[in-house]
Amino acid sequence: MKVVSRKPATNDNASAHAQVYEALSEDLIQGQIPPLKSLSLRGLAQRYGVSPMPVREAVRRLIAEKALELQTENKRLRVPHLSEHRLRQLTLARCWVEPELAAMAAPRMTRDDIKRLRDDDAALMRALKSGDVSAYMQANHDFHFTIYRAADADLLCGMARSLWLQSGPFMRVVFGRLGTVQLPKDHHQDMIAAFEAGNADAARASMAEDLREGMNLMLDAIGEHDVPQPKRRGRG
């Protein structure tokens, strides 16, 4: 397993655990850990340059958030299989939570926030033109969470992050196979215009449409069996 550069800079267990949790969460959201790939505590410790103890604590949190699961047959970790039923639940949850965050953010957006959104969207458009899925996912994440942080609603922002943890690995698979040039219409410019006008209703509507289009791509892919399925064990 490749060792990444994001290493906790302290030996303090609590701080190391928090930093490993953030690094592992970011890798899951960005789809850097493929669905159904087996992982070990030792391998993750090597990846982040720490001892197994902070990894163990981070993994426990992510299992509780449904972003990882422990396989009973071999005690190894993996990103859980995402069924169509579960993806529909994630779609509903995202369309409940994230548009409300956008509406709450509208009256709180500063000029700096809006500039950051424009920069994020420009990075996203560059990724679309070059077909760079990794850059697209990073820019898309940055755009959305600039909005969610501006909402000043920690509970809802935490819920949104948990939903992204569960869907990120599959977004990477689906968008990687479709190619960024086939992604649906970008609604980010409509959101930026709504934030400039302080229009909460328009921000909510644009966010909802953006989410529906992206999640429908994932639903279509699962319907066509494009997303990795769990291997069936033979009988006898």
Side-chain angles (χ1 to χ4, degrees):
M1 186 177 292
K2 183 179 179 180
V3 177
V4 298
S5 60
R6 292 191 302 276
K7 296 181 180 180
T10 176
N11 292 324
D12 177 76
N13 285 339
S15 180
H17 153 242
Q19 292 184 56
V20 170
Y21 172 80
E22 290 299 325
L24 181 50
S25 296
E26 186 70 14
D27 282 346
L28 288 166
I29 287 171
Q30 297 300 329
Q32 296 297 328
I33 298 176
L36 305 181
K37 178 181 175 61
S38 288
L39 304 167
S40 67
L41 290 177
R42 179 175 295 181
L44 289 172
Q46 291 175 350
R47 182 185 185 101
Y48 300 114
V50 297
S51 69
M53 183 175 293
V55 174
R56 187 176 293 110
E57 294 302 316
V59 161
R60 285 175 181 166
R61 289 179 63 182
L62 289 164
I63 289 174
E65 293 180 274
K66 309 297 185 184
L68 292 174
E69 68 178 4
L70 185 64
Q71 301 173 77
T72 55
E73 64 271 19
N74 60 13
K75 304 302 181 183
R76 290 175 69 86
L77 300 158
R78 70 178 183 184
V79 173
H81 168 58
L82 187 62
S83 66
E84 181 177 348
H85 177 62
R86 185 164 186 80
L87 181 54
R88 289 189 182 280
Q89 292 180 71
L90 284 171
T91 300
L92 283 172
R94 290 192 65 190
C95 287
W96 287 335
V97 172
E98 295 173 56
E100 291 309 311
L101 281 166
M104 294 171 71
R108 295 176 170 86
M109 278 282 172
T110 67
R111 290 182 180 178
D112 287 344
D113 290 331
I114 292 173
K115 180 182 183 304
R116 192 172 297 112
L117 290 178
R118 290 195 179 281
D119 290 344
D120 292 338
D121 196 52
L124 183 149
M125 295 307 295
R126 289 194 297 271
L128 285 173
K129 290 179 181 178
S130 65
D132 188 336
V133 174
S134 293
Y136 172 87
M137 291 193 65
Q138 182 66 61
N140 189 52
H141 172 268
D142 292 346
F143 182 93
H144 279 260
F145 278 84
T146 293
I147 296 168
Y148 303 158
R149 285 189 293 269
D152 192 26
D154 290 349
L155 178 60
L156 291 179
C157 191
M159 292 171 67
R161 181 176 171 81
S162 178
L163 294 169
W164 278 62
L165 278 170
Q166 296 177 62
S167 57
F170 300 90
M171 290 172 63
R172 175 62 176 255
V173 170
V174 171
F175 292 165
R177 292 181 182 180
L178 290 175
T180 51
V181 293
Q182 298 183 46
L183 290 170
K185 178 186 174 183
D186 174 37
H187 294 276
H188 290 183
Q189 288 297 322
D190 290 341
M191 280 187 249
I192 291 172
F195 292 133
E196 287 181 321
N199 188 330
D201 289 338
R204 180 189 292 110
S206 296
M207 178 66 76
E209 189 62 26
D210 184 62
L211 294 174
R212 276 193 291 267
E213 287 191 352
M215 297 302 281
N216 282 341
L217 272 181
M218 295 178 66
L219 284 165
D220 290 345
I222 281 185
E224 296 166 2
H225 306 291
D226 277 342
V227 174
Q229 304 290 316
K231 294 180 180 179
R232 298 182 183 274
R233 299 178 67 180
R235 295 182 179 179

